[in-house]
Amino acid sequence: MVRMQASRYPMVSVESAIEAILSRTPVLATEEVTLEEAIGRILAETVKAGDDMPPFAASAVDGYALRVSDGLMPRQVLAEIIAGATDQIEIRPGTASRIMTGAPIPPGADAVIMVEQTSEQNGILQIDQVPREGDNIYPRGLDVSRGQIVLEAGTEIGAAEVGLLATVGLVRVTVYRRPTVAVLSTGDELIEPDQPLHPGAIRDSNRYALLAVIREAGGIPLSLGKVRDDEAAQEALIREGLERADVVLTSGGVSVGSRDLIKPILARLGTIHFGRIAFKPGKPTTFATVGEKLVFGLPGFPVSSLVSFEVFVRPALQKMQGHQRIHRPVVQAIVEHALTPSPDRTEFQRAAVRWSRGRLVAESTGSQRSSRLLSLVGANALLRIEPGTEPIPAGSLVEAHLVGDILSDK
Ligand code: AMP
Ligand code: MG
């Protein structure tokens, strides 16, 4: 059967497409992970300190614990207190004790003087200047007090958070589950990347690029391989993906060509929420749900599939993992070259954004053809260009969605 006709799916805006996706995207259940596994995950619990930190008054320097009221008089050195010490030495008038950084302040002492400001001979300490009370002492609970909230639920766990969790004695934490995301490449023309090209053949790059970007987005990638443009074979693999994953991505087969079979399959398996977006590159991007599972039919052109992933799939994966910030940071940047908008679609053009004399400047990464993956290499931003008929002159301010680090001055 030949099926080739204009799409019957209404064209939706980028905003309503994102809204249609996020309103159907669940936040996944939680699981417990060890501290070693916690990096990059989102906390699903509020963490309070069970103890004061530091748990005892401690010396901030290597020096001598002493009594300020003894003034400049020479003091008898009683002992040496090292970090971790538990013995109880009392500093009585006229005495002092050597003390190391992090060691507990002995009873009776009310200041620590740095070793550099002292001299000690035959067990007698001389000082030139009288410290003030509390000098070089970290009081108990200075950093964190018992019962204090140190991390709110929804926090992304980075290195500092891992350190804080260890500080408060937590070695297992509750975080949101990461989504398993299955990827299926479709197309009779596809061959494995390690195969030599033959007439009509194209190497399947999308599957590998999508598996990589899923991992970058915190998901667990699952390859369903590649499949020919055969409806039954495609449906069987999509069903397998739905069983094994939270999200299924297909590549190719969503246009209006006679071998574009994904939309009818998804319409049969579940509900299609949109099948066409006023979006460039990636107009035929399709979104369906099957129960709680999400299915994205991404276009076959390599740039379209990755940019569609960035704009439509990544926010959903962020939400599933419990992220509070679902979207990329948006900045205003000055375009270096004139840009030609699409007459009828919101375009996300690839660019490199850098600081230049105190301003953010965007430079296009070259031809924006959907087949040209090189336009994504070196891109750290997508410039959002609304449809229009007039070119946007060089020097205009445009909205840049940052997908990587801003570059420093050239
Ligand atoms: P389609 O959306 O299936 O019509 O594919 C559009 C274009 O993208 C065609 O030129 C395909 O050869 C190309 N294409 C489709 N799938 C892939 C893939 N997995 N890797 C690289 N190129 C692809
Ligand atoms: Mg195809």
Side-chain angles (χ1 to χ4, degrees):
M1 178 176 55
V2 174
R3 212 180 307 191
M4 199 153 112
Q5 56 191 14
S7 175
R8 57 188 177 82
Y9 288 93
M11 187 97 99
V12 302
S13 69
V14 168
E15 263 59 46
S16 54
I18 292 173
E19 160 63 22
I21 295 162
L22 291 179
S23 65
R24 295 177 176 90
T25 300
V27 175
L28 297 180
T30 61
E31 62 182 359
E32 230 183 54
V33 294
T34 65
L35 269 192
E36 283 93 338
E37 301 161 330
I39 186 83
R41 307 295 294 271
I42 308 298
L43 255 185
E45 57 179 331
T46 298
V47 176
K48 289 184 178 177
D51 312 282
D52 289 328
M53 209 50 63
F56 48 84
S59 179
V61 295
D62 296 325
Y64 292 84
L66 45 66
R67 299 171 72 105
V68 170
S69 56
D70 286 342
L72 287 172
M73 77 150 89
R75 292 153 164 92
Q76 186 198 347
V77 178
L78 298 177
E80 179 167 281
I81 309 169
I82 55 177
T86 51
D87 37 329
Q88 288 289 311
I89 298 147
E90 198 189 333
I91 307 299
R92 285 166 280 98
T95 69
S97 174
R98 268 181 243 120
I99 191 163
M100 304 302 139
T101 306
I105 302 294
D110 54 11
V112 174
I113 186 165
M114 286 168 76
V115 69
E116 291 85 347
Q117 298 166 350
T118 67
S119 59
E120 183 190 333
Q121 244 178 356
N122 303 325
I124 300 298
L125 171 72
Q126 300 276 0
I127 63 174
D128 307 330
Q129 250 202 324
V130 184
R132 285 165 311 171
E133 228 179 273
D135 272 4
N136 298 315
I137 292 178
Y138 285 147
R140 173 179 178 155
L142 173 69
D143 296 333
V144 174
S145 49
R146 187 186 161 160
Q148 180 187 333
I149 293 177
V150 290
L151 293 172
E152 300 276 2
T155 303
E156 179 170 347
I157 302 175
E161 288 75 12
V162 169
L164 257 175
L165 291 166
T167 299
V168 302
L170 273 189
V171 294
R172 299 186 69 82
V173 282
T174 307
V175 297
Y176 293 98
R177 200 163 66 70
R178 297 193 293 155
T180 298
V181 186
V183 180
L184 176 66
S185 281
T186 72
D188 284 341
E189 73 278 34
L190 299 182
I191 57 169
E192 286 296 334
D194 62 355
Q195 295 304 304
L197 289 174
H198 58 79
I202 292 286
R203 293 200 175 99
D204 177 8
S205 65
N206 288 353
R207 182 157 41 104
Y208 293 92
L210 289 170
L211 292 169
V213 83
I214 288 163
R215 192 184 295 279
E216 248 176 29
I220 302 167
L222 171 71
S223 175
L224 296 170
K226 62 178 172 58
V227 63
R228 300 184 65 83
D229 289 319
D230 174 278
E231 204 157 334
Q234 290 186 358
E235 179 170 332
L237 283 162
I238 292 171
R239 281 180 187 277
E240 182 189 334
L242 288 166
E243 261 167 42
R244 296 173 64 190
D246 302 292
V247 179
V248 177
L249 308 184
T250 62
S251 143
V254 283
S255 276
V256 291
S258 61
R259 306 314 295 155
D260 290 333
L261 309 167
I262 294 295
K263 282 180 165 94
I265 296 173
L266 296 184
R268 242 191 342 268
L269 292 179
T271 310
I272 293 186
H273 302 288
F274 58 79
R276 216 155 45 121
I277 316 175
F279 169 73
K280 190 177 173 187
K283 180 168 70 174
T285 298
T286 299
F287 171 62
T289 48
V290 181
E292 278 253 288
K293 311 262 170 121
L294 314 183
V295 187
F296 294 86
L298 301 178
F301 280 115
V303 174
S304 311
S305 73
L306 276 182
V307 177
S308 298
F309 177 96
E310 169 61 37
V311 176
F312 301 107
V313 183
R314 190 179 178 279
L317 301 188
Q318 295 285 102
K319 179 174 177 188
M320 289 180 137
Q321 293 169 79
H323 275 279
Q324 309 279 301
R325 251 191 302 119
I326 286 174
H327 297 291
R328 297 285 200 180
V330 176
V331 297
Q332 300 283 322
I334 298 164
V335 274
E336 285 197 314
H337 325 276
L339 299 174
T340 311
S342 152
D344 55 356
R345 289 184 277 160
T346 301
E347 184 170 4
F348 286 73
Q349 295 202 6
R350 282 72 70 204
V353 169
R354 66 171 199 282
W355 282 108
S356 175
R357 282 175 268 130
R359 301 177 316 172
L360 287 176
V361 172
E363 182 181 3
S364 165
T365 51
S367 165
Q368 301 285 307
R369 263 192 329 275
S370 333
S371 57
R372 188 173 169 269
L373 261 186
L374 276 173
S375 73
L376 272 170
V377 173
N380 62 2
L382 296 175
L383 307 182
R384 182 179 166 137
I385 312 296
E386 296 304 339
T389 46
E390 298 298 314
I392 297 169
S396 307
L397 268 184
V398 295
E399 192 178 299
H401 295 238
L402 297 177
V403 301
D405 294 335
I406 293 177
L407 307 170
S408 45
D409 247 322
K410 263 188 186 162

